């Protein structure tokens, strides 16, 4: 074997793998044509200091004669060990004795010593079945220290199981030889070629790391005027690739195998039963297994090896050959495939093949029939792609129903309503056997549309329509009944959550999630759980966050972690972090939420996104950005059918932000545009007070929040009361009433303690108000310290998915002492506050340090915050 020139790139990991393999008795390199078997072998043999002498046998194509092969083995070994020049080469004889010849080869190897390696290349070309038995005996009987290395395109009938069990057989497969994306980039760079990162990724994906495909692409790329365009168009139909594959793969196959490859290449995946249908012959399963075993660019997709696919480039070539040789058969093959997939419940593949056959009306009906279930299964994007695959002018009426569904998922509510109107018009003229099913599908979409628009009456109306069981006895009708009930519960619960009817919302969303789980609709279950997380505002933030994370985890298991379906849970989790002052973590989750709603242009969830972003920007002092976010939320509010439950909160924060930016005229104009009901809410009262403070009239500010503080003004929740207390405290402070200001701050802390709220203090700018409140005068010193840390720019410990290591439980007395550790109070001062002795305080502190496993006061405070113990120290 002539040694090859240096390789273009160093594949050191593969060479090291070959070094490791050489420590065993036998190594087999088995991979398709062009995978780089010979290149790897020669690069390994070419390295300086190679300690072994190589006895190399190259098996000729279609080698039939066992004697010729055995003589070649003997000659290679004799040559490698340096046989004297006068010794004649072994000659062929009529009475060839294969066992005796193997014994001669083994004897020669034994005399050669430990530094020799027997290399047999292209062993798949050996066509002498009886020879494999003798070769097995040779390989299992190799003298100590002698190694054999075989290269082949397919697995061979060698019985080497004993070597495998003994750890004396090493195997390097196609997957090991594939170029990685990094190596693809190195290969291009070594050839002086430059591609964008996207171009490199695409080339690697198209070739699947196949060495010959990459090298042929590199040769074609050299001097190409538009490398990026070349890569985008690169396929198995490329002339160089096609010629290689035809010569090395297709022309080597028997006629029945070639026919199977051609007739099944239009499938993304194929099994034996489907291949039998397309070829009209039995036995396809056996052929597919043999092709994979032969490394013939056929890859199994499951451990049982029942489903297969073709290498991308090989599939491209086969489809070109199919169109060239059997063009009239293509539509019929697609129809047969569509029928098979439809019978086996694989609707997406059935629709695609019906479209490929050019049967557009049938494809439209099939897509309409399955659109509801496909949407529930999370295939909205796939449905959109299937819809766009219809040619221009193909306006089958049932496509309007499908388009309405995809528009709804992406938040295009006006377009969805228009398509629903078209679908309703068609329902009256549709065939009788389709009318009821179409009406049910339309009602389901109208329910979702009413929910997305915040139209409570519309939701209730459609829920009533869908509440009656679907008529008919078929399994499809029974399944549809369960699907529709789960959807109705989800939509009803969602609207109730948005209307702040939270107990009802929780009940309906829990029922919807349970039913979705029962009928195996994970997409619908995730949707219910995401909305349930949003509805959890009735509970503590800890409970809300737990529900958010449960919904997100379910979505992530199915690949929907950044899809609109999970956006309610994402935005709710983000908002709870803003409420509790975890601003850095909230920023991270806000980015993920933004990504999730990119494909959703509906007003509802984007309103929540902008509201949460406005809260976060305001808390971080970026008031101009906050103002823009609140304005965006206000604009989206106008697109809903009814007022959003949080509308007063959004408007109040918008007006307050304007006032804090000195835009009091605009702020007053915004208040003047509100109707009496909204103007009388507590949120608007707080905003009015902020305007008064901005105008330098603290007395008027106190008057503005009076109705809020005495409970006369209706409020969304207790957060509005916390804000009112703080605004009052700021007004008292400006009036010089320090005692009243401290009382207001203390009452705000008391309200905020349960959920450890930080947001109201940050939004109202209450840092100085809290700093003026002496730590020894508050019963909420730990919360005050946490809030001041945030307001001064420190970060509250991130509340992530990690479960903190639990500490030994603190006693009630220790928890009372713990409450004072974040303050500046000394031990005697803490003792005075608790009316106990200094010795008792010291004993408790030593016990706290031991249980929290810390050494000092600062570490104890940090550890207590991580464990959320300070909230309990009340």
């Amino acid at each position: 074997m002539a040694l090859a020139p240096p390789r273009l790139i160093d594949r050191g990991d593969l060479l090291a793998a070959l070094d490791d393999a050489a420590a065993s008795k036998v190594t087999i390199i088995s991979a398709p044509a062009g995978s780089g078997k010979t290149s790897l072998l020669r690069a390994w043999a070419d390295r300086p200091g190679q300690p072994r002498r190589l006895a190399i046998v190259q098996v000729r194509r279609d080698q039939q004669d066992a004697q010729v092969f055995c003589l070649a083995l003997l000659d290679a070994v004799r040559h490698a060990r340096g046989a004297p020049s006068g010794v004649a080469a072994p000659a062929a004889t009529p009475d060839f004795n294969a066992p005796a010849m193997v014994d001669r080869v083994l004897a020669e190897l034994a005399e050669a010593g430990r530094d020799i390696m027997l290399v047999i290349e292209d062993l798949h070309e050996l066509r002498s079945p009886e020879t494999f038995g003798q070769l097995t005996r040779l390989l299992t009987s190799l003298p100590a220290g002698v190694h054999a290395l075989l290269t082949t395109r397919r697995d061979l009938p060698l019985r080497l199981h004993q070597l495998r069990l003994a750890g004396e057989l090493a195997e390097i497969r196609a997957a090991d030889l594939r170029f990685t994306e990094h190596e693809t980039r190195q290969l291009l760079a070594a050839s002086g070629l430059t591609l964008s990162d996207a171009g490199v990724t695409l080339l690697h994906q198209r070739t699947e790391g196949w060495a010959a495909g990459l090298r042929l692409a590199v040769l074609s790329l050299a001097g190409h005027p538009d490398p990026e365009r070349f890569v985008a168009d690169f396929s198995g139909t490329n002339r160089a690739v096609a010629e290689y594959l035809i010569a090395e793969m297709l022309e080597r196959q028997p006629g029945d195998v070639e026919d199977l490859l051609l007739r099944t290449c239009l499938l993304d995946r194929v099994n034996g039963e489907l291949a039998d249908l397309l070829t009209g012959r039995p036995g396809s399963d056996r052929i597919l297994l043999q092709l994979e075993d032969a490394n013939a660019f056929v890859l199994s997709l499951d451990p049982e090896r029942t489903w297969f696919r073709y290498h991308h480039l090989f599939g491209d070539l086969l489809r070109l050959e199919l169109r060239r040789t059997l063009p009239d058969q293509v539509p019929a093959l697609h129809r047969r495939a569509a029928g098979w997939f439809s019978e086996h419940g694989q609707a997406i593949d059935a629709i695609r093949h019906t479209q490929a056959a050019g049967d557009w009306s049938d494809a439209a009906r099939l897509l309409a029939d399955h659109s509801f279930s496909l949407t529930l299964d999370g295939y909205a994007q796939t449905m959109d792609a299937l819809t766009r695959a219809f040619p221009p002018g193909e306006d089958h009426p049932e496509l309007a129903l499908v388009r309405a569904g995809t528009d709804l998922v992406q938040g295009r509510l006006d377009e969805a309503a228009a398509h629903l109107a078209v679908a309703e018009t068609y329902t009256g003229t549709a065939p009788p056997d389709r009318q009821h099913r179409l009406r049910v599908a339309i009602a389901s979409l109208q329910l979702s549309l009413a929910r997305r628009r915040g139209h409570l009456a519309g939701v209730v109306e459609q829920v009533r329509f869908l509440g009656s069981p679907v008529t008919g006895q078929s399994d499809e009708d029974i399944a549809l009944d369960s699907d529709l009930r789960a959807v109705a519960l989800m939509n009803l619960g969602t609207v109730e959550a948005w209307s702040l009817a939270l107990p009802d919302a929780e009940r309906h969303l829990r029922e919807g999630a349970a039913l979705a789980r029962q009928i195996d609709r994970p997409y619908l279950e995730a949707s219910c759980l995401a909305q349930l997380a949003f509805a959890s505002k009735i509970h503590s933030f800890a409970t809300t966050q737990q529900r958010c994370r449960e919904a997100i985890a379910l979505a992530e298991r199915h690949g929907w972690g950044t899809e609109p379906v999970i956006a309610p849970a994402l935005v709710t989790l983000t908002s709870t972090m803003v409420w509790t002052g975890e601003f850095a973590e909230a920023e991270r989750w806000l980015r993920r939420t933004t990504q999730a709603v990119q494909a959703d242009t509906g007003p509802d969830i984007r309103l929540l996104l902008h509201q949460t972003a406005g809260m976060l920007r305001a808390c971080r002092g970026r008031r101009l950005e906050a103002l823009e976010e609140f304005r965006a939320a206000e604009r989206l509010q106008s697109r809903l059918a009814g007022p959003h439950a949080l509308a007063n909160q959004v408007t109040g924060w918008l007006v307050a932000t304007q006032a804090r930016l000195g835009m009091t005229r605009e702020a007053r104009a915004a208040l003047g545009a509100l109707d009496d009901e909204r103007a009388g809410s507590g949120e608007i009262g707080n905003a009015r007070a902020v305007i008064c403070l901005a105008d330098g009239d603290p007395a008027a500010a106190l008057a503005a929040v009076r109705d809020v503080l005495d409970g006369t003004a209706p409020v969304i929740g207790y957060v509005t009361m916390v804000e009112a207390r703080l605004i009052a405290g700021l007004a008292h402070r400006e009036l010089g009433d320090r005692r009243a200001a401290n009382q207001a701050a203390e009452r705000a802390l008391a309200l905020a303690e349960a959920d450890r709220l930080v947001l109201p203090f940050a939004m109202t700018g209450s840092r100085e108000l809290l700093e003026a409140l002496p730590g020894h005068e508050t019963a909420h010193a730990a919360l005050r310290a946490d809030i001041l840390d945030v307001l001064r720019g420190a970060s509250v410990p991130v509340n992530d998915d990690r479960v903190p290591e639990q500490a030994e439980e603190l006693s009630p007395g220790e928890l009372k002492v713990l409450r004072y550790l974040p303050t500046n109070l000394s031990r005697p001062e803490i003792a005075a506050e608790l009316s106990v002795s200094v010795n008792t305080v010291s004993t408790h502190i030593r016990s706290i340090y031991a249980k929290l496993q810390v050494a000092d006061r600062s570490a104890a405070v940090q550890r207590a915050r991580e464990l959320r113990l300070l909230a309990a120290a009340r």
Side-chain angles (χ1 to χ4, degrees):
M1 179 179 71
L3 297 181
R7 285 149 38 85
L8 287 175
I9 65 169
D10 177 17
R11 305 191 73 188
D13 290 345
L14 275 177
L15 296 176
L18 202 52
D19 280 334
D20 293 341
S24 58
K25 191 177 288 290
V26 176
T27 298
I28 297 177
I29 306 177
S30 178
S35 295
K37 299 183 293 295
T38 300
S39 297
L40 171 65
L41 177 58
R42 294 182 180 177
W44 180 77
D46 236 2
R47 290 183 305 172
Q50 173 58 256
R52 295 179 182 267
R53 291 172 292 162
L54 304 182
I56 301 169
V57 176
Q58 177 77 50
V59 181
R60 298 176 183 176
R61 185 165 182 174
D62 290 327
Q63 177 64 263
Q64 303 284 343
D65 197 310
Q67 183 173 192
V68 172
F69 172 70
C70 290
L71 289 173
L73 280 178
L74 182 60
D75 184 55
V77 173
R78 288 165 60 90
H79 178 76
R81 63 181 290 251
S85 56
V87 178
T93 62
D95 54 347
F96 172 64
N97 186 330
M101 182 61 72
V102 168
D103 290 338
R104 289 185 64 185
V105 173
L106 288 171
E108 291 280 351
L109 287 170
E111 290 184 25
R114 290 176 169 269
D115 64 343
I116 196 164
M117 175 181 283
L118 177 62
V119 178
I120 306 175
E121 290 197 80
D122 294 335
L123 190 54
H124 57 275
E125 295 288 2
L126 186 60
R127 300 290 190 263
S128 177
E130 66 276 9
T131 307
F132 284 106
Q134 295 303 319
L135 182 58
T136 298
R137 186 168 73 87
L138 171 68
L139 295 173
T140 54
S141 305
L142 289 173
V146 176
H147 184 78
L149 190 152
L150 321 175
T151 71
T152 175
R153 292 184 182 180
R154 65 175 64 90
D155 289 345
L156 303 168
L158 294 170
R159 293 184 290 179
L160 302 178
H161 53 281
Q162 291 181 342
L163 290 180
R164 182 177 283 110
L165 289 172
E168 291 290 345
L169 176 66
E171 296 175 276
I172 295 176
R173 296 277 181 176
D176 304 308
L177 293 172
R178 291 187 193 119
F179 276 56
T180 65
E181 187 171 329
H182 176 67
E183 289 173 329
T184 300
R185 187 173 285 105
Q186 285 183 312
L187 180 63
L188 290 164
S191 304
L193 299 171
T194 302
L195 279 178
S196 66
D197 288 345
V200 174
T201 299
L202 181 58
L203 180 61
H204 181 259
Q205 289 173 346
R206 292 297 296 154
T207 61
E208 300 186 56
W210 179 44
L214 284 170
R215 292 193 176 102
L216 291 170
V218 166
L219 290 172
S220 300
L221 273 168
H224 196 282
D226 189 349
E228 300 289 339
R229 177 63 181 271
F230 172 84
V231 170
D233 294 339
F234 185 69
S235 72
T237 62
N238 175 274
R239 181 176 178 179
V241 176
E243 289 177 352
Y244 184 95
L245 289 172
I246 289 173
E248 295 294 332
M249 294 300 304
L250 200 56
E251 289 182 347
R252 289 175 171 238
Q253 305 300 336
D256 60 334
V257 174
E258 182 178 346
D259 184 67
L260 180 147
L261 290 170
L262 292 176
R263 290 178 180 273
T264 59
C265 66
L266 45 74
L267 302 166
D268 291 332
R269 56 199 177 99
V270 62
N271 64 12
E273 181 183 340
L274 187 49
D276 286 347
L277 176 67
L278 297 190
T279 60
R281 296 185 306 273
S284 299
D285 189 61
R286 174 183 52 80
I287 294 175
L288 289 168
L289 287 168
Q290 289 174 345
L291 285 169
E292 186 186 32
D293 289 339
N295 285 318
F297 290 90
V298 176
L299 312 171
S300 60
L301 298 174
D302 57 331
E304 294 78 19
R305 298 176 73 197
T306 57
W307 284 96
F308 302 85
R309 74 166 178 88
Y310 303 141
H311 187 287
H312 296 324
L313 297 181
F314 191 42
D316 293 337
L317 169 69
L318 292 173
R319 286 185 285 275
L320 176 66
E321 286 293 295
L322 175 64
R323 292 193 299 271
R324 186 179 65 82
T325 59
L326 301 170
D328 296 338
Q329 295 287 320
V330 174
L333 290 171
H334 279 297
R335 289 189 188 101
R336 287 187 207 169
W340 190 93
F341 282 118
S342 184
E343 290 172 5
H344 288 77
Q346 299 180 40
I348 292 174
D349 288 310
I351 294 165
R352 283 175 174 157
H353 284 288
T354 304
Q355 289 177 326
D359 300 335
W360 299 109
S361 295
D362 291 341
R365 281 191 291 271
L366 200 57
L367 183 54
D369 283 346
H370 292 90
S371 60
F372 186 69
S373 61
L374 289 175
T375 300
L376 295 186
D377 286 335
Y379 287 106
Q381 302 299 323
T382 300
M383 285 175 55
D384 191 32
L386 291 170
T387 305
R388 286 186 276 106
F390 284 86
E394 185 62 44
D395 292 323
H396 192 281
E398 297 203 30
L399 283 180
L401 188 67
V402 180
R403 291 187 173 113
T406 55
D407 285 337
L408 264 176
V409 170
Q410 296 177 2
R412 299 191 294 260
L413 306 189
D414 292 339
E415 292 88 338
H419 284 129
L420 276 176
V422 173
E424 283 188 282
T425 301
Y426 169 68
T427 302
T429 60
D433 62 330
R434 299 188 60 75
Q435 286 186 8
H436 179 75
R437 193 173 186 84
L438 289 172
R439 287 195 181 100
V440 168
I442 290 169
S444 167
L445 293 175
Q446 286 174 332
L447 172 61
S448 296
L449 178 61
R451 187 258 299 176
R452 295 298 304 268
R453 284 181 161 168
H455 186 200
L456 179 59
V459 169
V460 173
E461 177 186 347
Q462 298 303 330
V463 167
R464 188 178 297 116
F465 174 83
L466 294 172
S468 57
V470 179
T471 58
Q473 302 300 318
S474 70
D475 291 342
E476 282 189 358
D477 286 334
I478 295 171
L480 182 62
D481 189 25
S482 298
D483 288 343
L484 290 173
R485 175 167 170 73
V487 168
L489 287 166
M490 185 268 292
N491 282 297
L492 182 60
T494 300
V495 169
E496 288 167 339
W498 279 65
S499 304
L500 295 186
L502 300 181
D504 289 339
E506 276 199 302
R507 177 166 54 85
H508 288 133
L509 290 169
R510 281 187 179 278
E511 289 177 9
L515 180 56
R517 193 176 309 115
Q518 178 184 336
I519 62 178
D520 195 24
R521 291 291 193 191
Y523 189 81
L524 186 54
E525 182 186 357
S527 183
C528 288
L529 291 178
Q531 297 292 352
L532 181 63
F534 172 69
S536 296
K537 294 184 288 293
I538 194 173
H539 299 289
S540 68
F541 282 155
T543 299
T544 301
Q545 287 198 2
Q546 179 183 352
R547 289 184 176 177
C548 289
R549 294 184 187 278
E550 287 173 357
I552 293 166
L554 175 62
E556 287 176 338
R557 286 200 297 273
H558 294 276
W560 306 320
T562 55
E563 295 292 321
V565 64
I566 203 61
L570 292 172
V571 74
T572 302
L573 181 60
T574 304
S575 67
T576 61
M577 292 175 174
V578 180
W579 286 112
T580 55
E582 300 171 70
F583 299 148
E585 188 72 354
E587 290 280 8
R588 184 172 72 84
W589 283 99
L590 183 67
R591 288 193 294 271
R592 180 165 167 182
T593 307
T594 303
Q595 183 181 358
V597 301
Q598 280 181 346
D600 190 331
T601 59
D604 47 356
I605 196 65
R606 296 187 76 85
L607 189 158
L608 291 179
L609 174 65
H610 286 295
Q611 177 185 342
T612 303
M615 293 158 50
L616 181 55
R617 302 291 175 258
C619 287
R620 307 202 91 170
R622 290 148 60 178
R623 286 176 175 164
L624 280 173
E625 295 177 29
L627 181 61
E628 289 307 310
E629 297 290 352
F630 290 138
R631 281 174 172 164
E634 280 273 280
R635 288 192 294 271
L636 290 167
Q637 160 66 36
S638 67
R639 292 174 53 189
L640 295 174
H644 182 270
L646 304 179
N648 290 338
Q649 195 172 65
V650 172
T651 301
W653 284 339
L654 169 61
V655 171
T657 304
Q658 288 176 323
R660 291 177 181 124
L661 287 168
M663 304 163 60
T664 55
R665 180 179 301 176
E666 293 89 336
R668 290 189 183 279
L671 291 185
L674 300 176
D675 58 41
D676 291 343
E677 182 179 356
R678 295 191 65 195
S681 70
E683 292 73 30
I684 301 305
N686 284 352
R688 189 176 292 110
V690 174
I691 296 174
C692 295
L693 285 176
D695 282 341
D697 191 350
L702 286 173
V705 296
R706 186 175 296 116
D707 290 347
V708 186
L709 295 176
D710 65 18
T712 305
V715 297
I716 291 174
Y718 79 98
V719 174
T720 304
M721 301 297 295
V722 177
E723 285 186 341
R725 295 289 181 192
L726 293 172
I727 292 168
L730 294 171
H732 285 305
R733 184 169 175 271
E734 294 215 8
L735 290 170
D737 191 343
R738 178 180 173 182
R739 181 171 176 275
N742 287 349
Q743 286 180 342
E746 178 72 1
R747 289 169 180 168
L749 286 169
L751 287 172
E753 181 76 67
D755 281 321
R756 313 293 291 169
L757 286 184
V758 173
L759 177 138
F761 299 87
M763 288 192 73
T764 55
S766 298
R767 172 180 167 180
E768 293 181 1
L769 185 66
L770 288 183
E771 288 176 334
L773 176 66
H776 64 278
E777 291 184 9
T778 176
H780 310 282
L783 176 60
R784 171 182 172 274
D786 279 349
I787 295 172
L788 285 174
D789 278 349
V790 176
L791 300 186
R792 291 166 180 161
S795 296
V796 173
V798 173
N799 182 19
D800 59 16
D801 291 325
R802 294 169 295 178
V803 178
E805 180 183 348
Q806 293 301 308
E808 185 178 347
E809 185 176 354
L810 301 185
S811 70
E814 291 162 354
L815 286 171
K816 289 180 180 178
V817 172
L818 177 66
R819 182 182 67 188
Y820 288 95
L821 294 188
T823 71
N824 293 322
L825 297 182
S826 65
R827 294 189 182 192
E829 289 172 330
I830 294 174
E833 288 289 324
L834 295 174
S835 300
V836 298
S837 69
V838 175
N839 184 56
T840 298
V841 171
S842 297
T843 300
H844 282 327
I845 289 177
R846 285 195 298 272
S847 180
I848 290 170
Y849 289 179
K851 290 181 177 180
L852 297 184
Q853 301 178 20
V854 296
D856 56 39
R857 184 169 179 169
S858 175
V861 172
Q862 179 66 24
R863 180 67 171 150
R865 286 174 179 165
E866 291 174 356
L867 296 172
R868 300 300 187 197
L869 292 177
L870 289 173
R874 301 177 61 186

